[in-house]
Amino acid sequence: MNIALFSSLVRYGLAGAFVVLLVATVLAVRSGRGGLGAALGVAALLSGGALAAEALVALTVRLAAPGAADFNEYRWVMLAPWGRLGLALGGAAVIGIVGLSWRATRGAPAWRRATMIGLRAGAAVGALVVFLEPAVELRQVAREPNRIAILIDDSKSMALAEATDGPSRIERTRQLLESSKSALTAWEQSHKIDYYTFSETVSATSLAALASDTAQGKATLIRKALETIRARYEGRDLAGIVLISDGASTGGFDEDSGDGAVRDFLRSLDTRVHTVWAARPGLKDVAVAKVMADEFAFVRTVVRIDAVIRTTGLPARKVLVTLSTDGQPLRQKMVDFPGGEHDVTVTFEVTPPRVGRYVYEVSVPVAAGEAVTTNNARSFVVRVIRDKIRVLMVAGQPGWDVRALRQMLKSNPNVDLISFFILRTQDDISAGVANDEMSLIPFPTRELFEQQLPSFDLIILQNFEYLPYGIGDYLENIRSYVEGGGGLAMLGGAASFTSGGYYGTPVATALPVELYGPFDTGPVLDTGKFTPQLTENGVLHPVTSLRYSPDDNLATWKALPQLEGVNLVASAKPDATVLATHPRLKTKGGKPMPVIVAGDYGKGRSLAVTTDSVWRWGFVSAAKNGDNGRQYTKFWENAMGWLIQDPALHNLHVDSDAVEYAPSQPARVTVRLLGRDYQPMPGGVVSLVVKKGADPTSAVEVAAAKITVGDDGTAVHELGGSVTQGPGVYRIEAHATIAGRQVDASDIFLVREGGSELDRPVGDPATLDAIAKATGGSSLGAIDTLPSDLELDPPRIVRVDRRTDVELWSRPGLLFLVIGLLGLEWLLRQRSGYL
């Protein structure tokens, strides 16, 4: 503080108080109020004494400190060692002395009483000064301007505009700084201004650089930004922080902490934070704010998906919410949304038909005038695994083929078998006995073919005629089940295929063979023995690959026992694959009669085995020397694996090291190649193709490479950031050749923008209000110009060039003043008769 200015203010103040109190004393005495006059007189004497003391101090400073005018700061100090305790005791002593003097002078005229009390008080104060040894420390200091940090949000939400024809938030910020030039100039007189932008990181900037800032940051980490600024000015003088943001903090402000912890953090900044809200009301948006689903699921088990849809600034409306996979709608719901800002949870249930990775997407249509369209859809990945192969086996009557297959399935620990046998048919003679009394259990048609059907991986219909058991109404369910990704196998017998009445039914649509109709002439069964002949496709197909090498496989099939009896079919369907044929019988078109036929139907697969004597490959073969009947088990293991599309049977595997990546993040792809004996195939060459697109039919190729695997049959290939630079669904397709056969594999992963910057794009002024309040700053709200009188901390002392102490207590004049006051008080008491 400037000494001359302070001294002038004190002097004039004490002089004014002395005059006012003196006039009040005279008026009180003349009106007969002696007590009041005495009190006012004491106050007048004290103010006069203080005026005299101030003049003495000023004079002492001038006389004792040559060049004192060169000092621009001072402070009061006490040289005595008593400290605050001595000051308290001395002050109490002065009060006690004045009190005793007041009591001793009772009865004296008011003016005389006031004079004696004032003289004794003055003497006591003088003695207190000597006791405390006060001094004035004069300093010559130099100051430098401290810093103001202007912190500007440049995250993606700042690029939004509340109206289609209005400015964006970052443009509004630039206009604010442009219109605040006068305020910034006023601040620069005592401070220096530093400009920073922040999103996920903090960067120094300038007004010129802000002109081209497009606000593309991926997060609004307000807390991290404040921490960074405070750390950058650690040990330096910070006048304050001006925070300009829309307040849409994304996890960095109150993450993992309660309100108390947030307040403690803000107070620890030890500086004022003044906030400016860059957003405005009126933003319109519909967003998929959150999707809640398990990361893992079991195949053919219902998966629940909860999507939180958030609407902002829109009137009440109906919104179509769609769940898609592979670019195709899977489920849709029309949901009512109230007006204003609301969150509504929409629930979907899906049943993954196969093992693998599934990329699902929840989406809503873009509304008119919507500020953000990128948050109208959210993708996520579900890994589908298999617990056990769940098989439903329905047999029309007991038989050797039924017994062999059921026993094989029951002995497999990886199979959960549900089997039903018809022990008594409608043709059996049971006179006078009701049907329900001849059943071990009621046939649970509705439970099996409606309620539990989606939970099965495979359905086996073995020599089963559906008509007598009321299953006709559920055949459409079986067809739909296969189309959705299920597996269906129909085995031959006297009550199967055309003989079972399946012609023209929905099940016939899903089968890979055409059946004879009711107007076709000729037999539908043949009971002769035969050895099935592998077709060219059958030699290499997974179902009929009893040996990996084509030559070995052909030899194995020729050595199998003969089969007996076959169901005749009209033909194989055009898109089906005939694996084995009858050596003599022909179809209506003159082609060899199919015996084993495989085909795809929708997303599922079906298999037709038109004989009921495959059990001979196990029982009869096991009776031969050197044959354990393993080919029967091998055939059905292959068939089950193919029908359920089990990836464990693949010789080629490709896997990415994660299911989700950030844009431009490298992705590591592991390739594993197994030979025909399922052992590592060293030196094998694998072709990789990477495509981008949710719909596999329209995905676009973005990268390709050829990889040679090592001695362990594996290799790792890295997809660089240039491949994964754009958000979306990426598909990896791998191809290799093993023993002349092409094998394929695929994988899928997701590239998605990290964080939740645009999940809630509407600004949040409450966050900025809380920051300003907790730090002692001002919440300026939605302003257009910064105020020039904003409260900022003044610059602190940075250097003391000169310093000297002026002792007030050691002046001889002070001692003479004390003695004089005591002497005058003694004389006055003596003359008044109070000794």
Side-chain angles (χ1 to χ4, degrees), residues 433-593:
V433 181
N435 288 337
D436 56 354
E437 295 182 10
M438 293 297 294
S439 301
L440 296 179
I441 60 173
F443 192 59
T445 54
R446 185 173 182 275
E447 181 180 2
L448 286 178
F449 297 106
E450 182 173 317
Q451 298 175 353
Q452 298 296 324
L453 189 64
S455 69
F456 293 104
D457 297 292
L458 174 62
I459 298 175
I460 299 176
L461 300 179
Q462 191 169 15
N463 196 22
F464 176 70
E465 184 181 3
Y466 71 91
L467 283 173
Y469 308 103
I471 300 178
D473 294 339
Y474 300 98
L475 296 185
E476 172 59 27
N477 294 353
I478 297 177
R479 185 207 63 79
S480 178
Y481 157 84
V482 179
E483 186 179 39
L488 171 65
M490 180 174 285
L491 280 62
S496 192
F497 294 102
T498 301
S499 301
Y502 286 98
Y503 175 82
T505 65
V507 168
T509 305
L511 290 176
V513 293
E514 298 285 358
L515 304 182
Y516 282 116
F519 301 106
D520 290 316
T521 59
V524 294
L525 292 172
D526 184 89
T527 58
K529 294 184 179 181
F530 69 98
T531 299
Q533 307 293 311
L534 283 185
T535 64
E536 182 178 350
N537 290 326
V539 173
L540 300 176
H541 198 277
V543 171
T544 48
S545 291
L546 303 182
R547 293 287 187 271
Y548 202 90
S549 168
D551 293 337
D552 292 345
N553 194 34
L554 279 172
T556 300
W557 274 85
K558 289 180 180 179
L560 291 174
Q562 284 188 320
L563 303 180
E564 184 176 357
V566 66
N567 291 77
L568 305 182
V569 296
S571 65
K573 289 184 177 177
D575 55 349
T577 303
V578 178
L579 307 180
T581 61
H582 198 284
R584 302 182 306 275
L585 300 177
K586 304 293 182 181
T587 64
K588 291 190 303 183
K591 294 182 179 181
M593 180 66 64

Side-chain angles (χ1 to χ4, degrees), residues 326 356-359 381 654 656 658-659 693-694 729-732 746-750:
D326 289 342
R357 293 179 182 174
Y358 287 78
V359 175
V381 178
V654 58
S656 58
V659 296
V729 178
Y730 287 76
R731 301 175 181 274
I732 308 172
S746 63
D747 193 22
I748 191 170
F749 63 85
L750 184 66

Side-chain angles (χ1 to χ4, degrees), residues 154-307:
D154 71 340
S155 61
K156 282 188 176 181
S157 61
M158 289 290 287
L160 303 178
E162 284 74 21
T164 55
D165 56 349
S168 66
R169 296 169 183 177
I170 193 66
E171 290 172 348
R172 191 178 293 120
T173 300
R174 286 195 286 264
Q175 295 171 3
L176 170 70
L177 296 175
E178 179 68 24
S179 62
S180 302
K181 285 185 176 180
S182 59
L184 298 176
T185 302
W187 293 355
E188 288 175 340
Q189 294 178 2
S190 301
H191 315 278
K192 290 185 177 180
I193 302 177
D194 298 326
Y195 296 92
Y196 300 92
T197 57
F198 77 95
S199 51
E200 65 268 34
T201 58
V202 177
S203 304
T205 187
S206 63
L207 288 175
L210 281 173
S212 57
D213 195 324
T214 57
Q216 293 300 310
K218 299 177 181 178
T220 306
L221 303 183
I222 295 179
R223 175 170 181 162
K224 181 180 178 181
L226 294 175
E227 286 177 338
T228 302
I229 293 297
R230 180 68 271 183
R232 183 166 296 192
Y233 289 96
E234 189 69 35
R236 299 169 63 189
D237 197 2
L238 185 60
I241 299 174
V242 179
L243 174 63
I244 305 176
S245 172
D246 56 13
S249 179
T250 56
F253 182 67
D254 56 353
E255 184 178 18
D256 299 330
S257 60
D259 293 340
V262 171
R263 286 193 296 268
D264 291 342
F265 159 72
L266 293 173
R267 290 167 184 164
S268 70
L269 295 175
D270 194 27
T271 190
R272 294 182 178 89
V273 180
H274 307 284
T275 59
V276 178
W277 191 44
R280 296 293 186 270
L283 182 137
K284 298 179 180 179
D285 185 54
V286 181
V288 182
K290 184 188 300 183
V291 174
M292 295 165 286
D294 292 334
E295 183 180 352
F296 289 92
F298 289 113
V299 66
R300 304 215 155 270
T301 301
V302 174
V303 177
R304 175 175 173 146
I305 300 169
D306 294 322

Side-chain angles (χ1 to χ4, degrees), residues 18 61 110 141 153 166 203 238 283 315 322 324 339 345 384 424 481 520 609-610 631 635 638 701 725 788 833:
F18 176 73
V61 170
V141 300
D153 183 357
S203 304
L238 185 60
L283 182 137
T322 303
S324 305
T345 300
V384 180
R424 171 183 174 274
Y481 157 84
D520 290 316
V609 180
T610 60
Q631 309 308 330
F635 172 76
N638 290 351
E701 181 177 325
Q725 61 183 350
S788 58

